[in-house]
Coordinates of all heavy atoms in Angstrom, one line a residue:
M24 N 136.9 107.2 124.6 CA 138.2 106.9 125.0 C 138.3 106.4 126.4 O 137.7 107.1 127.3 CB 139.1 108.1 124.8 CG 139.3 108.5 123.3 SD 140.6 109.7 123.0 CE 140.0 111.1 123.8
P25 N 138.9 105.3 126.7 CA 138.9 104.8 128.0 C 139.7 105.7 129.0 O 140.7 106.3 128.6 CB 139.6 103.4 127.9 CG 139.6 103.1 126.4 CD 139.5 104.4 125.7
K26 N 139.2 105.7 130.2 CA 139.9 106.5 131.3 C 140.5 105.4 132.2 O 139.8 104.5 132.6 CB 138.9 107.4 132.0 CG 138.3 108.5 131.2 CD 137.5 109.5 132.0 CE 136.9 110.5 131.2 NZ 137.7 111.2 130.3
I27 N 141.7 105.6 132.5 CA 142.5 104.6 133.3 C 143.0 105.3 134.6 O 143.6 106.4 134.5 CB 143.6 104.0 132.5 CG1 143.1 103.3 131.3 CG2 144.5 103.1 133.4 CD1 144.2 102.8 130.3
N28 N 142.7 104.7 135.7 CA 143.1 105.3 137.0 C 144.5 104.8 137.3 O 144.7 103.5 137.3 CB 142.2 104.9 138.1 CG 140.7 105.4 137.8 OD1 140.5 106.5 137.4 ND2 139.8 104.5 137.9
V29 N 145.5 105.7 137.5 CA 146.9 105.3 137.6 C 147.4 105.7 139.0 O 147.2 106.9 139.3 CB 147.7 105.9 136.5 CG1 149.2 105.5 136.6 CG2 147.2 105.5 135.1
T30 N 148.0 104.8 139.7 CA 148.8 105.2 140.9 C 150.2 105.1 140.6 O 150.7 104.1 140.1 CB 148.5 104.2 142.1 OG1 147.0 104.3 142.3 CG2 149.2 104.6 143.3
T31 N 151.0 106.2 140.8 CA 152.4 106.2 140.4 C 153.2 105.5 141.5 O 152.7 105.1 142.6 CB 152.9 107.7 140.4 OG1 152.9 108.2 141.7 CG2 152.1 108.5 139.4
A32 N 154.4 105.2 141.2 CA 155.3 104.5 142.1 C 155.4 105.3 143.4 O 155.7 104.7 144.5 CB 156.6 104.2 141.5
S33 N 155.3 106.6 143.4 CA 155.4 107.4 144.6 C 154.0 107.6 145.3 O 153.9 108.3 146.3 CB 155.9 108.8 144.3 OG 155.1 109.5 143.4
G34 N 153.0 106.9 144.8 CA 151.7 106.9 145.5 C 150.7 107.9 145.1 O 149.6 108.0 145.6
K35 N 151.0 108.8 144.1 CA 150.1 109.8 143.6 C 149.1 109.1 142.7 O 149.5 108.1 142.0 CB 150.8 110.9 142.9 CG 151.7 111.7 143.8 CD 152.4 112.8 143.1 CE 153.2 113.6 144.1 NZ 154.2 114.4 143.5
T36 N 147.9 109.6 142.6 CA 146.9 109.0 141.7 C 146.5 110.0 140.7 O 146.5 111.3 140.9 CB 145.7 108.5 142.5 OG1 145.1 109.6 143.2 CG2 146.0 107.4 143.4
K37 N 146.2 109.5 139.5 CA 145.7 110.4 138.4 C 144.9 109.5 137.4 O 145.1 108.3 137.4 CB 146.8 111.2 137.7 CG 147.8 110.3 137.0 CD 148.8 111.2 136.2 CE 149.6 112.2 137.1 NZ 150.5 113.0 136.4
T38 N 144.0 110.2 136.7 CA 143.2 109.5 135.7 C 143.7 110.0 134.4 O 143.7 111.2 134.1 CB 141.7 109.8 135.9 OG1 141.3 109.3 137.2 CG2 140.9 109.0 134.9
I39 N 144.0 109.0 133.5 CA 144.4 109.4 132.2 C 143.4 109.0 131.1 O 142.7 108.0 131.4 CB 145.8 108.8 131.8 CG1 145.7 107.3 131.7 CG2 146.9 109.2 132.8 CD1 147.0 106.7 131.0
T40 N 143.3 109.7 130.1 CA 142.4 109.3 129.0 C 143.3 108.8 127.8 O 144.3 109.4 127.4 CB 141.6 110.5 128.5 OG1 140.9 111.0 129.6 CG2 140.7 110.1 127.4
A41 N 143.0 107.5 127.4 CA 143.9 106.9 126.4 C 143.1 106.6 125.1 O 141.8 106.5 125.1 CB 144.4 105.6 127.0
H42 N 143.8 106.5 124.0 CA 143.2 106.1 122.7 C 143.1 104.6 122.6 O 144.0 103.9 122.8 CB 144.0 106.7 121.6 CG 144.0 108.2 121.5 ND1 142.9 108.9 121.0 CD2 144.9 109.1 122.0 CE1 143.2 110.2 121.1 NE2 144.4 110.3 121.7
T43 N 141.9 104.1 122.2 CA 141.7 102.7 121.9 C 142.6 102.3 120.8 O 142.8 103.0 119.8 CB 140.2 102.5 121.5 OG1 139.4 102.9 122.6 CG2 140.0 101.0 121.2
G44 N 143.3 101.2 121.0 CA 144.2 100.7 120.0 C 145.7 101.1 120.2 O 146.6 100.5 119.6
A45 N 145.9 102.1 121.1 CA 147.2 102.5 121.4 C 147.9 101.5 122.4 O 147.2 100.8 123.1 CB 147.2 103.9 122.0
S46 N 149.2 101.5 122.4 CA 149.9 100.8 123.4 C 149.7 101.5 124.8 O 149.8 102.7 124.8 CB 151.4 100.7 123.0 OG 152.2 100.6 124.2
M47 N 149.5 100.7 125.8 CA 149.3 101.3 127.1 C 150.6 102.0 127.5 O 150.7 103.0 128.2 CB 148.9 100.2 128.2 CG 148.6 100.8 129.5 SD 148.0 99.7 130.7 CE 146.3 99.5 130.1
M48 N 151.8 101.4 127.1 CA 153.1 102.0 127.4 C 153.2 103.4 126.8 O 153.6 104.3 127.4 CB 154.2 101.1 127.0 CG 155.6 101.7 127.2 SD 156.2 102.8 126.0 CE 156.7 101.6 124.7
D49 N 152.7 103.5 125.5 CA 152.8 104.8 124.8 C 151.9 105.8 125.6 O 152.3 107.0 125.7 CB 152.3 104.7 123.4 CG 153.3 104.0 122.5 OD1 154.5 103.9 122.9 OD2 152.9 103.5 121.4
A50 N 150.7 105.4 126.0 CA 149.9 106.4 126.8 C 150.5 106.8 128.1 O 150.5 108.0 128.4 CB 148.5 105.7 127.0
L51 N 151.2 105.9 128.8 CA 151.8 106.2 130.0 C 153.1 107.0 129.9 O 153.4 107.9 130.6 CB 152.1 104.9 130.8 CG 150.8 104.1 131.3 CD1 151.2 102.7 131.8 CD2 150.0 104.9 132.3
S52 N 153.9 106.6 128.9 CA 155.2 107.3 128.7 C 155.0 108.7 128.1 O 155.8 109.6 128.5 CB 156.1 106.5 127.8 OG 155.6 106.4 126.5
A53 N 153.9 108.9 127.4 CA 153.6 110.3 126.9 C 153.4 111.2 128.1 O 153.6 112.5 127.9 CB 152.4 110.3 126.0
L54 N 153.0 110.7 129.2 CA 152.8 111.5 130.4 C 153.9 111.4 131.4 O 153.8 111.9 132.5 CB 151.4 111.1 131.0 CG 150.2 111.4 130.1 CD1 149.0 110.7 130.8 CD2 150.0 112.8 129.9
G55 N 155.0 110.8 131.0 CA 156.1 110.6 131.9 C 155.9 109.6 133.0 O 156.6 109.7 134.0
L56 N 155.0 108.7 132.9 CA 154.6 107.8 134.0 C 155.5 106.6 133.9 O 155.6 105.9 135.0 CB 153.1 107.5 134.0 CG 152.2 108.7 134.2 CD1 150.8 108.4 133.9 CD2 152.4 109.2 135.7
V57 N 155.9 106.1 132.7 CA 156.9 105.0 132.6 C 157.9 105.4 131.6 O 157.7 106.4 130.8 CB 156.2 103.7 132.1 CG1 155.2 103.2 133.2 CG2 155.6 103.8 130.8
E58 N 159.0 104.7 131.5 CA 160.1 105.1 130.6 C 159.9 104.4 129.2 O 160.0 105.0 128.2 CB 161.4 104.7 131.2 CG 161.9 105.7 132.3 CD 163.3 105.4 132.7 OE1 164.1 104.9 131.9 OE2 163.5 105.6 133.9
G59 N 159.7 103.1 129.2 CA 159.6 102.4 128.0 C 160.8 102.4 127.2 O 160.8 102.7 126.0
T60 N 161.9 102.2 127.8 CA 163.3 102.3 127.2 C 163.5 101.5 126.0 O 164.1 102.0 125.0 CB 164.3 101.9 128.3 OG1 164.1 102.7 129.5 CG2 165.7 102.2 127.8
C61 N 163.0 100.3 125.9 CA 163.2 99.4 124.7 C 162.2 99.7 123.6 O 162.3 99.1 122.6 CB 163.2 98.0 125.1 SG 161.6 97.3 125.5
G62 N 161.3 100.6 123.8 CA 160.4 101.0 122.7 C 159.3 100.0 122.5 O 158.6 100.0 121.5
G63 N 159.1 99.0 123.4 CA 158.0 98.1 123.3 C 158.4 96.7 122.9 O 157.6 95.9 122.5
A64 N 159.7 96.4 123.1 CA 160.2 95.0 122.7 C 160.1 94.0 123.8 O 160.7 92.9 123.7 CB 161.6 95.2 122.1
A65 N 159.5 94.4 124.9 CA 159.4 93.5 126.1 C 160.8 93.1 126.6 O 161.0 91.9 127.0 CB 158.6 92.2 125.8
S66 N 161.8 94.0 126.5 CA 163.2 93.6 126.9 C 163.8 94.5 127.9 O 165.0 94.4 128.2 CB 164.0 93.5 125.6 OG 164.1 94.8 125.0
C67 N 163.0 95.5 128.5 CA 163.7 96.4 129.5 C 163.0 96.3 130.8 O 163.6 96.6 131.8 CB 163.8 97.8 128.9 SG 162.2 98.6 128.8
G68 N 161.7 96.1 130.8 CA 160.9 96.1 132.1 C 160.6 97.5 132.7 O 160.0 97.6 133.7
T69 N 160.9 98.5 132.0 CA 160.7 99.9 132.5 C 159.2 100.3 132.3 O 158.9 101.5 132.6 CB 161.6 100.9 131.9 OG1 161.4 101.0 130.5 CG2 163.1 100.6 132.2
C70 N 158.4 99.5 131.8 CA 157.0 99.8 131.6 C 156.1 98.9 132.5 O 154.9 98.8 132.2 CB 156.6 99.7 130.1 SG 156.6 98.0 129.5
H71 N 156.7 98.3 133.4 CA 156.0 97.3 134.3 C 154.9 98.0 135.1 O 155.1 99.0 135.8 CB 157.0 96.7 135.2 CG 156.5 95.7 136.2 ND1 157.2 95.3 137.3 CD2 155.3 95.0 136.2 CE1 156.5 94.4 138.0 NE2 155.4 94.2 137.4
V72 N 153.7 97.4 135.0 CA 152.5 97.9 135.8 C 151.9 96.8 136.5 O 152.0 95.6 136.1 CB 151.5 98.7 134.9 CG1 152.1 99.9 134.3 CG2 150.9 97.8 133.9
Y73 N 151.1 97.1 137.6 CA 150.3 96.1 138.3 C 148.8 96.4 138.0 O 148.4 97.6 138.2 CB 150.5 96.2 139.8 CG 151.9 96.0 140.3 CD1 152.6 97.1 140.9 CD2 152.6 94.8 140.1 CE1 153.9 96.9 141.4 CE2 153.9 94.7 140.5 CZ 154.5 95.7 141.2 OH 155.8 95.5 141.7
F74 N 148.1 95.5 137.5 CA 146.7 95.6 137.4 C 146.0 95.2 138.8 O 146.3 94.1 139.3 CB 146.1 94.6 136.4 CG 146.2 95.2 135.0 CD1 147.5 95.3 134.4 CD2 145.1 95.5 134.2 CE1 147.6 95.8 133.1 CE2 145.2 96.0 132.9 CZ 146.4 96.2 132.4
A75 N 145.2 96.1 139.3 CA 144.5 95.8 140.6 C 143.6 94.5 140.4 O 143.6 93.7 141.3 CB 143.7 97.0 141.0
D76 N 143.0 94.4 139.3 CA 142.1 93.2 139.0 C 142.8 92.4 138.0 O 142.9 92.7 136.8 CB 140.8 93.7 138.4 CG 139.8 92.6 138.2 OD1 140.3 91.4 138.2 OD2 138.7 92.9 137.9
K77 N 143.4 91.2 138.4 CA 144.2 90.4 137.5 C 143.4 89.8 136.3 O 143.9 89.5 135.3 CB 145.0 89.3 138.2 CG 144.2 88.2 138.7 CD 145.1 87.2 139.3 CE 144.2 86.0 139.7 NZ 145.0 84.9 140.2
S78 N 142.1 89.8 136.5 CA 141.2 89.2 135.5 C 141.1 90.2 134.3 O 140.9 89.8 133.2 CB 139.8 88.9 136.0 OG 139.1 90.1 136.3
I79 N 141.4 91.5 134.5 CA 141.4 92.4 133.4 C 142.8 92.5 132.8 O 143.0 92.9 131.6 CB 141.1 93.9 134.0 CG1 139.8 93.9 134.7 CG2 141.1 94.9 132.9 CD1 138.6 93.8 133.8
A80 N 143.8 92.0 133.5 CA 145.2 92.2 133.0 C 145.5 91.4 131.7 O 146.3 91.8 130.9 CB 146.2 91.7 134.1
G81 N 144.7 90.3 131.5 CA 144.9 89.5 130.3 C 146.2 88.6 130.5 O 146.9 88.7 131.5
A82 N 146.4 87.8 129.4 CA 147.5 86.9 129.5 C 148.8 87.6 129.0 O 148.8 88.4 128.1 CB 147.2 85.7 128.5
R83 N 149.9 87.2 129.7 CA 151.2 87.7 129.3 C 151.6 87.0 128.0 O 151.4 85.8 127.8 CB 152.2 87.4 130.4 CG 151.9 88.1 131.7 CD 152.9 87.6 132.8 NE 152.5 88.2 134.0 CZ 152.8 87.7 135.2 NH1 153.6 86.6 135.3 NH2 152.4 88.3 136.3
T84 N 152.4 87.7 127.2 CA 153.0 87.1 126.0 C 154.2 86.2 126.5 O 154.6 86.4 127.7 CB 153.6 88.2 125.0 OG1 154.6 88.9 125.6 CG2 152.5 89.1 124.6
E85 N 154.7 85.4 125.7 CA 155.8 84.5 126.1 C 157.0 85.4 126.5 O 157.6 85.2 127.5 CB 156.1 83.5 125.0 CG 157.1 82.5 125.4 CD 157.4 81.4 124.3 OE1 156.6 81.4 123.3 OE2 158.3 80.7 124.4
D86 N 157.4 86.3 125.6 CA 158.6 87.2 125.9 C 158.4 88.0 127.2 O 159.3 88.2 127.9 CB 158.8 88.1 124.7 CG 159.4 87.4 123.5 OD1 159.8 86.2 123.6 OD2 159.4 88.0 122.4
E87 N 157.2 88.4 127.3 CA 156.8 89.2 128.5 C 157.0 88.4 129.8 O 157.6 88.8 130.8 CB 155.4 89.7 128.4 CG 154.9 90.5 129.5 CD 153.4 90.9 129.3 OE1 152.8 90.4 128.4 OE2 152.9 91.7 130.1
G88 N 156.6 87.1 129.7 CA 156.7 86.2 130.9 C 158.2 86.0 131.2 O 158.6 86.1 132.4
Y89 N 159.0 85.8 130.2 CA 160.5 85.7 130.5 C 161.0 86.9 131.1 O 161.9 86.9 132.0 CB 161.2 85.3 129.2 CG 160.9 84.0 128.6 CD1 160.7 83.8 127.3 CD2 160.9 82.8 129.5 CE1 160.4 82.5 126.8 CE2 160.6 81.6 129.0 CZ 160.4 81.4 127.6 OH 160.1 80.2 127.1
M90 N 160.6 88.1 130.6 CA 161.2 89.4 131.1 C 160.8 89.5 132.6 O 161.6 89.9 133.4 CB 160.6 90.5 130.2 CG 161.2 91.9 130.6 SD 163.0 91.9 130.2 CE 163.6 92.8 131.6
L91 N 159.5 89.3 132.9 CA 159.1 89.4 134.3 C 159.8 88.4 135.2 O 160.1 88.8 136.3 CB 157.5 89.3 134.3 CG 156.8 90.5 133.7 CD1 155.3 90.2 133.6 CD2 157.0 91.8 134.5
E92 N 160.0 87.2 134.7 CA 160.7 86.3 135.5 C 162.1 86.8 135.8 O 162.6 86.7 136.9 CB 160.9 85.0 134.7 CG 159.9 83.9 135.0 CD 160.2 82.6 134.2 OE1 161.3 82.2 134.2 OE2 159.2 82.2 133.6
G93 N 162.7 87.4 134.8 CA 164.1 88.0 135.0 C 164.1 89.2 136.0 O 165.1 89.4 136.6
L94 N 163.0 89.9 136.1 CA 162.9 91.0 137.1 C 162.6 90.6 138.5 O 162.8 91.4 139.4 CB 161.8 92.0 136.6 CG 162.1 92.7 135.3 CD1 160.8 93.5 134.9 CD2 163.3 93.6 135.4
E95 N 162.2 89.3 138.6 CA 161.7 88.9 139.9 C 162.6 89.1 141.1 O 162.2 89.3 142.2 CB 161.3 87.4 139.8 CG 160.2 87.0 140.8 CD 159.4 85.8 140.3 OE1 160.0 85.0 139.5 OE2 158.3 85.6 140.8
E96 N 163.9 89.0 140.9 CA 164.8 89.2 142.0 C 165.0 90.7 142.4 O 165.5 91.0 143.4 CB 166.2 88.5 141.8 CG 167.1 89.2 140.8 CD 168.4 88.5 140.7 OE1 169.3 88.7 141.5 OE2 168.5 87.6 139.8
F97 N 164.5 91.6 141.5 CA 164.7 93.0 141.8 C 163.4 93.7 142.2 O 163.4 94.7 142.9 CB 165.2 93.7 140.5 CG 166.5 93.1 140.0 CD1 166.4 92.3 138.8 CD2 167.7 93.2 140.7 CE1 167.6 91.7 138.4 CE2 168.8 92.6 140.2 CZ 168.8 91.8 139.0
V98 N 162.3 93.3 141.7 CA 161.0 93.9 142.0 C 159.9 92.9 142.3 O 160.0 91.7 141.9 CB 160.5 94.8 140.8 CG1 161.4 96.0 140.6 CG2 160.3 94.0 139.6
D99 N 158.9 93.4 143.0 CA 157.8 92.5 143.3 C 157.0 92.2 142.0 O 156.5 93.1 141.3 CB 156.9 93.3 144.3 CG 155.7 92.5 144.8 OD1 155.8 91.2 144.8 OD2 154.7 93.1 145.2
I100 N 156.9 90.9 141.7 CA 156.1 90.5 140.5 C 154.8 89.9 141.1 O 154.8 89.0 141.9 CB 156.8 89.4 139.7 CG1 158.2 90.0 139.2 CG2 155.9 89.0 138.5 CD1 158.1 91.2 138.3
R101 N 153.7 90.4 140.7 CA 152.4 90.0 141.2 C 151.5 89.3 140.1 O 151.9 89.4 138.9 CB 151.6 91.3 141.7 CG 152.3 92.1 142.7 CD 151.5 93.3 143.1 NE 152.3 94.2 143.9 CZ 152.0 95.5 144.2 NH1 150.9 96.0 143.6 NH2 152.8 96.2 144.9
A102 N 150.4 88.7 140.5 CA 149.6 88.1 139.6 C 149.1 89.1 138.5 O 148.9 88.7 137.4 CB 148.4 87.5 140.3
G103 N 148.9 90.3 138.9 CA 148.5 91.3 137.9 C 149.6 92.1 137.2 O 149.4 93.1 136.6
S104 N 150.8 91.6 137.3 CA 152.0 92.2 136.7 C 151.9 92.1 135.2 O 151.6 91.0 134.6 CB 153.3 91.6 137.1 OG 153.6 92.0 138.4
R105 N 152.0 93.2 134.5 CA 152.1 93.2 133.0 C 153.2 94.2 132.5 O 153.4 95.2 133.2 CB 150.8 93.6 132.4 CG 149.6 92.6 132.5 CD 149.9 91.3 131.7 NE 150.3 91.4 130.4 CZ 149.5 91.5 129.3 NH1 148.2 91.4 129.4 NH2 150.0 91.6 128.1
L106 N 153.7 94.0 131.4 CA 154.5 95.0 130.7 C 153.5 95.8 129.9 O 152.9 95.2 129.0 CB 155.6 94.3 129.9 CG 156.6 93.5 130.6 CD1 157.6 92.9 129.7 CD2 157.4 94.4 131.7
S107 N 153.4 97.1 130.2 CA 152.3 97.8 129.5 C 152.5 98.0 128.0 O 151.6 98.2 127.3 CB 152.2 99.2 130.2 OG 153.4 100.0 130.1
C108 N 153.8 97.7 127.5 CA 154.0 97.8 126.1 C 153.4 96.6 125.4 O 153.2 96.7 124.1 CB 155.5 97.9 125.8 SG 156.4 96.4 126.2
Q109 N 153.0 95.6 126.1 CA 152.4 94.4 125.4 C 150.9 94.5 125.5 O 150.2 93.5 125.1 CB 152.9 93.2 126.1 CG 154.4 93.0 126.1 CD 155.0 93.0 124.7 OE1 154.6 92.1 123.9 NE2 155.8 94.0 124.3
I110 N 150.3 95.6 125.9 CA 148.9 95.8 126.0 C 148.3 96.8 125.1 O 148.8 98.0 125.1 CB 148.5 96.1 127.5 CG1 149.1 95.1 128.4 CG2 147.0 96.4 127.6 CD1 149.0 95.5 129.9
K111 N 147.4 96.4 124.3 CA 146.7 97.4 123.4 C 145.4 97.8 124.2 O 144.7 97.0 124.7 CB 146.2 96.8 122.1 CG 147.4 96.5 121.2 CD 147.8 97.7 120.4 CE 148.9 97.4 119.4 NZ 150.1 98.1 119.7
I112 N 145.2 99.1 124.3 CA 144.1 99.7 125.0 C 142.8 99.4 124.3 O 142.7 99.6 123.1 CB 144.3 101.2 125.3 CG1 145.5 101.3 126.2 CG2 143.1 101.8 125.9 CD1 146.0 102.8 126.4
T113 N 141.8 98.9 125.0 CA 140.5 98.7 124.5 C 139.5 99.3 125.4 O 139.8 99.8 126.5 CB 140.1 97.2 124.4 OG1 140.0 96.7 125.8 CG2 141.2 96.4 123.7
E114 N 138.2 99.4 125.0 CA 137.2 99.9 125.8 C 137.0 99.1 127.2 O 136.6 99.7 128.2 CB 135.8 99.9 125.1 CG 135.8 101.0 124.0 CD 135.9 102.4 124.5 OE1 135.6 102.7 125.6 OE2 136.4 103.2 123.7
A115 N 137.5 97.9 127.2 CA 137.4 97.1 128.4 C 138.3 97.7 129.5 O 138.2 97.3 130.7 CB 137.8 95.6 128.1
H116 N 139.2 98.5 129.1 CA 140.1 99.2 130.1 C 139.5 100.4 130.7 O 140.2 101.0 131.6 CB 141.5 99.5 129.4 CG 142.3 98.3 129.0 ND1 142.6 98.0 127.7 CD2 142.8 97.3 129.8 CE1 143.3 96.9 127.7 NE2 143.4 96.4 128.9
D117 N 138.4 100.8 130.3 CA 137.7 102.0 130.9 C 137.4 101.8 132.4 O 136.8 100.8 132.7 CB 136.4 102.3 130.1 CG 135.9 103.7 130.6 OD1 136.6 104.6 130.7 OD2 134.7 103.7 130.8
G118 N 138.0 102.7 133.2 CA 137.7 102.6 134.6 C 138.6 101.7 135.4 O 138.4 101.6 136.6
I119 N 139.6 101.0 134.8 CA 140.4 100.1 135.5 C 141.4 100.9 136.4 O 141.7 102.1 136.2 CB 141.2 99.1 134.6 CG1 142.2 99.9 133.7 CG2 140.2 98.3 133.8 CD1 143.2 99.0 133.0
N120 N 142.0 100.2 137.3 CA 143.0 100.7 138.2 C 144.3 100.0 138.0 O 144.4 98.8 138.1 CB 142.6 100.6 139.7 CG 141.3 101.3 140.0 OD1 141.2 102.5 139.8 ND2 140.3 100.5 140.5
I121 N 145.4 100.8 137.7 CA 146.7 100.2 137.6 C 147.7 101.0 138.5 O 147.4 102.1 138.8 CB 147.2 100.2 136.1 CG1 147.4 101.6 135.6 CG2 146.3 99.3 135.2 CD1 148.2 101.6 134.3
E122 N 148.8 100.3 138.8 CA 149.8 100.9 139.6 C 151.1 100.8 138.8 O 151.4 99.7 138.3 CB 149.9 100.2 140.9 CG 150.9 100.7 141.9 CD 150.9 99.9 143.2 OE1 149.9 99.2 143.5 OE2 151.9 99.9 143.9
I123 N 151.9 101.9 138.8 CA 153.2 101.8 138.2 C 154.2 101.1 139.1 O 154.3 101.4 140.3 CB 153.8 103.2 137.9 CG1 152.8 104.1 137.1 CG2 155.1 103.1 137.2 CD1 152.4 103.5 135.7
A124 N 154.8 100.0 138.6 CA 155.8 99.3 139.5 C 157.0 100.1 139.7 O 157.4 100.9 138.9 CB 156.1 98.0 138.8
P125 N 157.7 99.9 140.8 CA 158.9 100.6 141.1 C 160.0 100.2 140.0 O 159.9 99.1 139.5 CB 159.4 100.2 142.5 CG 158.4 99.2 142.9 CD 157.3 99.0 141.9
D126 N 161.0 101.0 139.8 CA 162.0 100.7 138.8 C 162.8 99.5 139.3 O 163.0 99.3 140.5 CB 163.0 101.9 138.7 CG 162.4 103.0 138.0 OD1 161.4 102.9 137.3 OD2 162.9 104.2 138.2
A127 N 163.2 98.7 138.4 CA 164.0 97.5 138.7 C 165.4 97.9 138.9 O 165.9 98.9 138.5 CB 163.9 96.5 137.6
Ligands
FES217 S1 159.0 99.2 126.9 FE1 160.6 97.8 127.4 S2 159.6 96.1 128.3 FE2 158.0 97.5 127.8

């Protein structure tokens, strides 16, 4: 099971262990690290995370791209910005560093 290093919006760090195939948002919300208000429909932005290494972040879905564009006036959108609900955890995520974005 991949271990993911997470920095919270308040700057605390923790390492979580996640199940391969699960949604990253589900893994983070189970620990109270993101809200995931829309349940994974890419329509709320409350699961926004920053990947430290944008090459690991992967490509945004079309809906995700529109959602992040809409958030741009409220929060910092970076090259490594992703909606964690749109990411399935794989072994490639083992050891990565992500940061929880501030609330929009
Ligand atoms: S859970 Fe709403 S955008 Fe990801």
Side-chain angles (χ1 to χ4, degrees):
M24 292 195 292
K26 294 187 185 312
I27 300 172
N28 303 309
V29 181
T30 301
T31 67
S33 63
K35 294 182 180 162
T36 58
K37 59 175 60 182
T38 300
I39 67 166
T40 302
H42 292 280
T43 302
S46 150
M47 187 173 286
M48 181 273 284
D49 286 340
L51 295 170
S52 66
L54 297 170
L56 295 170
V57 298
E58 287 185 32
T60 305
C61 74
S66 62
C67 70
T69 63
C70 68
H71 178 199
V72 299
Y73 301 119
F74 278 68
D76 181 349
K77 72 175 186 176
S78 68
I79 305 286
R83 296 173 186 159
T84 66
E85 188 174 347
D86 287 346
E87 181 182 7
Y89 291 135
M90 186 68 222
L91 289 170
E92 266 182 47
L94 291 175
E95 205 157 20
E96 73 178 274
F97 306 107
V98 296
D99 183 25
I100 303 297
R101 304 176 188 167
S104 285
R105 290 293 313 269
L106 296 177
S107 60
C108 66
Q109 301 301 301
I110 301 169
K111 290 278 183 244
I112 295 172
T113 70
E114 288 299 331
H116 293 117
D117 188 44
I119 65 166
N120 299 303
I121 64 167
E122 180 183 341
I123 308 297
D126 290 340

